[in-house]
mmCIF file of all heavy atoms in Angstrom:
data_model
loop_
_atom_site.group_PDB
_atom_site.id
_atom_site.type_symbol
_atom_site.label_atom_id
_atom_site.label_comp_id
_atom_site.label_asym_id
_atom_site.label_seq_id
_atom_site.Cartn_x
_atom_site.Cartn_y
_atom_site.Cartn_z
ATOM 1 N N SER A 67 -76.411 38.878 47.167
ATOM 2 C CA SER A 67 -77.737 38.262 47.272
ATOM 3 C C SER A 67 -78.672 39.125 48.110
ATOM 4 O O SER A 67 -78.257 39.893 48.971
ATOM 5 C CB SER A 67 -77.630 36.873 47.909
ATOM 6 O OG SER A 67 -76.873 36.030 47.090
ATOM 7 N N TYR A 68 -79.952 38.951 47.862
ATOM 8 C CA TYR A 68 -80.978 39.716 48.566
ATOM 9 C C TYR A 68 -80.881 39.490 50.069
ATOM 10 O O TYR A 68 -80.790 38.359 50.542
ATOM 11 C CB TYR A 68 -82.358 39.299 48.039
ATOM 12 C CG TYR A 68 -83.508 40.022 48.676
ATOM 13 C CD1 TYR A 68 -83.656 41.390 48.500
ATOM 14 C CD2 TYR A 68 -84.428 39.346 49.444
ATOM 15 C CE1 TYR A 68 -84.706 42.064 49.085
ATOM 16 C CE2 TYR A 68 -85.490 40.001 50.028
ATOM 17 C CZ TYR A 68 -85.620 41.372 49.849
ATOM 18 O OH TYR A 68 -86.664 42.036 50.436
ATOM 19 N N ARG A 69 -80.847 40.588 50.804
ATOM 20 C CA ARG A 69 -80.768 40.610 52.277
ATOM 21 C C ARG A 69 -79.490 39.973 52.832
ATOM 22 O O ARG A 69 -79.475 39.486 53.958
ATOM 23 C CB ARG A 69 -81.988 39.966 52.906
ATOM 24 C CG ARG A 69 -83.232 40.760 52.663
ATOM 25 C CD ARG A 69 -84.292 40.403 53.635
ATOM 26 N NE ARG A 69 -85.448 41.240 53.383
ATOM 27 C CZ ARG A 69 -86.554 41.187 54.062
ATOM 28 N NH1 ARG A 69 -86.666 40.332 55.035
ATOM 29 N NH2 ARG A 69 -87.541 41.987 53.776
ATOM 30 N N SER A 70 -78.443 39.962 52.046
ATOM 31 C CA SER A 70 -77.149 39.477 52.524
ATOM 32 C C SER A 70 -76.271 40.682 52.846
ATOM 33 O O SER A 70 -76.640 41.821 52.578
ATOM 34 C CB SER A 70 -76.484 38.607 51.457
ATOM 35 O OG SER A 70 -75.301 38.032 51.972
ATOM 36 N N THR A 71 -75.115 40.411 53.422
ATOM 37 C CA THR A 71 -74.194 41.487 53.796
ATOM 38 C C THR A 71 -72.834 41.258 53.133
ATOM 39 O O THR A 71 -72.490 40.122 52.790
ATOM 40 C CB THR A 71 -73.991 41.534 55.319
ATOM 41 O OG1 THR A 71 -73.375 40.313 55.731
ATOM 42 C CG2 THR A 71 -75.315 41.728 56.047
ATOM 43 N N PRO A 72 -72.047 42.308 52.985
ATOM 44 C CA PRO A 72 -70.689 42.132 52.473
ATOM 45 C C PRO A 72 -69.848 41.199 53.352
ATOM 46 O O PRO A 72 -69.023 40.442 52.851
ATOM 47 C CB PRO A 72 -70.119 43.549 52.454
ATOM 48 C CG PRO A 72 -71.315 44.435 52.298
ATOM 49 C CD PRO A 72 -72.394 43.737 53.088
ATOM 50 N N ALA A 73 -70.093 41.247 54.661
ATOM 51 C CA ALA A 73 -69.353 40.365 55.576
ATOM 52 C C ALA A 73 -69.648 38.896 55.282
ATOM 53 O O ALA A 73 -68.759 38.042 55.396
ATOM 54 C CB ALA A 73 -69.693 40.694 57.027
ATOM 55 N N ALA A 74 -70.884 38.592 54.890
ATOM 56 C CA ALA A 74 -71.226 37.217 54.533
ATOM 57 C C ALA A 74 -70.464 36.795 53.273
ATOM 58 O O ALA A 74 -70.060 35.633 53.141
ATOM 59 C CB ALA A 74 -72.728 37.085 54.317
ATOM 60 N N GLY A 75 -70.253 37.726 52.358
ATOM 61 C CA GLY A 75 -69.476 37.428 51.162
ATOM 62 C C GLY A 75 -68.024 37.124 51.482
ATOM 63 O O GLY A 75 -67.420 36.212 50.912
ATOM 64 N N VAL A 76 -67.440 37.879 52.416
ATOM 65 C CA VAL A 76 -66.061 37.627 52.846
ATOM 66 C C VAL A 76 -65.958 36.251 53.489
ATOM 67 O O VAL A 76 -65.030 35.487 53.204
ATOM 68 C CB VAL A 76 -65.581 38.727 53.818
ATOM 69 C CG1 VAL A 76 -64.260 38.349 54.461
ATOM 70 C CG2 VAL A 76 -65.460 40.060 53.100
ATOM 71 N N GLU A 77 -66.935 35.931 54.334
ATOM 72 C CA GLU A 77 -66.929 34.625 55.004
ATOM 73 C C GLU A 77 -67.028 33.487 53.986
ATOM 74 O O GLU A 77 -66.313 32.485 54.084
ATOM 75 C CB GLU A 77 -68.096 34.550 55.992
ATOM 76 C CG GLU A 77 -68.124 33.269 56.789
ATOM 77 C CD GLU A 77 -69.290 33.242 57.773
ATOM 78 O OE1 GLU A 77 -69.781 34.309 58.157
ATOM 79 O OE2 GLU A 77 -69.696 32.125 58.145
ATOM 80 N N ARG A 78 -67.871 33.655 52.985
ATOM 81 C CA ARG A 78 -68.015 32.624 51.951
ATOM 82 C C ARG A 78 -66.716 32.463 51.150
ATOM 83 O O ARG A 78 -66.280 31.342 50.885
ATOM 84 C CB ARG A 78 -69.164 32.993 51.006
ATOM 85 C CG ARG A 78 -69.310 32.106 49.819
ATOM 86 C CD ARG A 78 -69.840 30.747 50.200
ATOM 87 N NE ARG A 78 -70.051 29.987 48.983
ATOM 88 C CZ ARG A 78 -69.883 28.694 48.887
ATOM 89 N NH1 ARG A 78 -69.538 28.002 49.949
ATOM 90 N NH2 ARG A 78 -70.082 28.074 47.754
#
Side-chain angles (χ1 to χ4, degrees):
S67 297
Y68 180 65
R69 293 200 178 180
S70 186
T71 63
V76 170
E77 183 179 336
R78 173 72 176 146

